[in-house]
Amino acid sequence: MKKLALLSLSIFSVFTIISSASAATPKPVAEASVNAQVTVTKLEIEADIPRVFYPGNTAPVWVTAHFSDGTSKLVSNDAKVIQQSAGFYISRPGFKYGILEAARLGEGWITFEYGGVQKSLYFTVANK
């Protein structure tokens, strides 16, 4: 009787292991979804630039990339600065934002590029 109970228990264990393994078998995924690439669709720039921005003043800048799958990500320190005037952009690894420092008087701008998309931020540096 004991041997029969152990035999039925071991058969049940093997059946459970086999059925658990088959339940975990991955389902086939459509090839189109595997090969689909997420692309950047838009860049958004937010900056806390004071109304009167003098040479030497700084302001935080957040750059957000929006992707074709509907997600977004802060890329302030990953975006490439391709053009700047009247100010300098200071990347801050480890932070969610970078710093814009006003450098000279007049109209200024900074152009970011990320994932092939470009966006500019315009500002004015005033005379002290």
Side-chain angles (χ1 to χ4, degrees):
M1 183 78 168
K2 216 177 196 185
K3 286 184 179 182
L4 183 60
L6 286 174
L7 179 62
S8 64
L9 180 62
S10 58
I11 290 173
F12 178 76
S13 298
V14 169
F15 176 76
T16 303
I17 292 169
I18 290 172
S19 65
S20 296
S22 64
T25 305
K27 306 279 188 267
V29 178
E31 192 172 323
S33 66
V34 172
N35 294 332
Q37 292 205 1
V38 177
T39 59
V40 177
T41 57
K42 177 175 98 170
L43 283 183
E44 183 179 349
I45 303 172
E46 293 181 51
D48 192 11
I49 298 174
R51 192 174 61 77
V52 181
F53 198 40
Y54 296 115
N57 287 154
T58 60
V61 177
W62 295 267
V63 181
T64 304
H66 296 274
F67 300 96
S68 58
D69 66 354
T71 61
S72 60
K73 174 184 170 187
L74 279 170
V75 294
S76 305
N77 294 305
D78 300 325
K80 182 179 176 184
V81 175
I82 59 172
Q83 206 174 42
Q84 57 191 1
S85 173
F88 299 100
Y89 185 74
I90 303 164
S91 183
R92 295 175 46 107
F95 289 84
K96 294 184 177 191
Y97 62 92
I99 297 290
L100 174 63
E101 182 176 346
R104 62 172 178 77
L105 303 176
E107 299 299 315
W109 70 87
I110 184 165
T111 303
F112 294 95
E113 188 273 330
Y114 185 83
V117 177
Q118 296 179 6
K119 177 82 177 199
S120 296
L121 169 69
Y122 297 92
F123 56 91
T124 302
V125 180
N127 193 5
K128 282 191 175 185

